[in-house]
Amino acid sequence: MQDVNAAPTTASMPARLLNRSIGKKLLMSLSGLVLLGYVVGHLIGNLQIFVGQNALNAYAVFLRSIGAWLWIIRAFLLGMLIIHVWFAVKLYFENRSARPIRYKRKVYQEATLSSRTMIWTGIGVFLFVVYHLLHFTFIVTNPQYSHLEDALGRHDVYSMVILGFQNYLISAVYLVSIAIVSYHLVHAAKSMFQTWGLNDTNFEKILRPATVIFAWLILLGYIAIPIAVLAGIVKLPEGVI
Ligand code: HEM
């Protein structure tokens, strides 16, 4: 039995908070918000493709021109991603072991159902990001893109994206992955409201539909790019084959 008179544990306040589910969930929602900020910023940058080759390539050059800051931001985002994934996996296994006897009939509560899908959509998002980095950042899967240059001698990110999405299989992978990202966001918002104690409040009643609309905007914004390429609305510049 627990000794109620025992001296308080020597573990620091943050360490004790981290050992509790709520501490892990808070860290997950904060890191998730930072990653969401990136997803929004990245979408705004990518939409430059509709302005044209110069706009998108200038944006890519601008990102590289911030030099050391780019690496600091990348390291920070990577840290956030690691925290997010690490605690997601930890909470997943803790929840499983808290229920040692498996239910005979699978009767899931609403919250349990969304947390069950979160781990799988989360894995889907993670695998997509790995593929995406190999595709467009490290240019490993399609090394032929690395030699593309525009008239100003800049890396031709614009043509790289178009060439990428002209491939039906690659476009399909992106369309499915972006749908998974958006689905993950809707359910992440739900569990975030729970973590912050906002569920079933009037505030949440307004925020919930707002997050669904927001996730739809993210979905439509991102899928517009491969769709516009496949539909021939965004085309390769003259001379690029
Ligand atoms: C139509 C959809 C997308 C397009 C066209 C696109 C395009 C790009 C391009 C061109 C780069 C390389 C930039 C460069 O090195 O100059 C890039 C990097 C990246 N993208 Fe995307 N992206 C898309 C969707 C996403 C989504 C949904 C996510 C996140 C879930 C994402 C996360 C990243 C990350 C983390 C990087 C690495 C950034 C860095 O270099 O520091 N992208 N993307």
Side-chain angles (χ1 to χ4, degrees):
M1 217 171 80
Q2 200 184 345
D3 179 4
V4 284
N5 296 320
T9 158
T10 50
S12 66
M13 172 72 175
R16 267 180 286 156
L17 193 61
L18 265 186
N19 277 330
R20 299 227 184 126
S21 286
I22 187 67
K24 293 176 191 133
K25 284 184 181 166
L26 275 173
L27 267 181
M28 278 201 66
S29 64
L30 291 176
S31 55
L33 276 176
V34 172
L35 295 169
L36 174 65
Y38 177 81
V39 170
V40 174
H42 190 48
L43 173 60
I44 295 168
N46 285 336
L47 288 176
Q48 303 300 312
I49 199 166
F50 291 105
V51 182
Q53 184 187 29
N54 185 43
L56 188 64
N57 291 353
Y59 166 72
V61 167
F62 162 74
L63 282 185
R64 294 193 192 286
S65 72
I66 60 175
W69 277 107
L70 179 64
W71 287 101
I72 293 169
I73 295 168
R74 279 174 166 169
F76 177 65
L77 285 170
L78 184 67
M80 290 294 123
L81 183 68
I82 291 170
I83 288 175
H84 199 75
V85 173
W86 174 256
F87 286 114
V89 172
K90 244 175 130 49
L91 279 167
Y92 176 76
F93 283 109
E94 273 174 24
N95 288 345
R96 272 178 71 110
S97 58
R99 202 191 57 200
I101 305 162
R102 288 188 157 265
Y103 298 133
K104 276 199 177 142
R105 265 184 61 218
K106 294 194 170 186
V107 184
Y108 296 113
Q109 288 177 328
E110 205 194 348
T112 329
L113 179 74
S114 65
S115 29
R116 279 174 64 242
T117 54
M118 284 302 279
I119 191 81
W120 297 111
T121 54
I123 291 170
V125 174
F126 182 77
L127 291 177
F128 162 69
V129 171
V130 172
Y131 166 69
H132 183 49
L133 291 179
L134 295 175
H135 185 214
F136 281 157
T137 299
F138 301 115
I139 319 184
V140 173
T141 56
N142 299 69
Q144 68 276 22
Y145 303 159
S146 59
H147 305 296
L148 293 168
E149 277 192 0
D150 66 12
L152 297 178
R154 301 172 293 194
H155 180 221
D156 195 357
V157 175
Y158 179 83
S159 301
M160 170 174 85
V161 171
I162 297 176
L163 284 170
F165 292 148
Q166 278 180 344
N167 180 313
Y168 285 98
L169 183 63
I170 293 180
S171 271
V173 168
Y174 273 78
L175 291 173
V176 171
S177 306
I178 292 161
I180 295 174
V181 170
S182 308
Y183 184 85
H184 189 80
L185 289 181
V186 174
H187 287 268
K190 196 162 155 191
S191 83
M192 194 174 74
F193 294 144
Q194 227 162 32
T195 306
W196 292 356
L198 290 172
N199 51 324
D200 296 330
T201 61
N202 283 335
F203 189 52
E204 196 232 4
K205 287 195 183 96
I206 302 165
L207 273 183
R208 264 280 311 133
T211 54
V212 175
I213 295 171
F214 178 75
W216 270 102
L217 289 177
I218 297 278
L219 175 79
L220 294 176
Y222 273 113
I223 64 169
I225 301 171
I227 290 177
V229 172
L230 290 176
I233 298 167
V234 174
K235 294 191 189 98
L236 277 178
E238 293 286 308
V240 180
I241 5 147

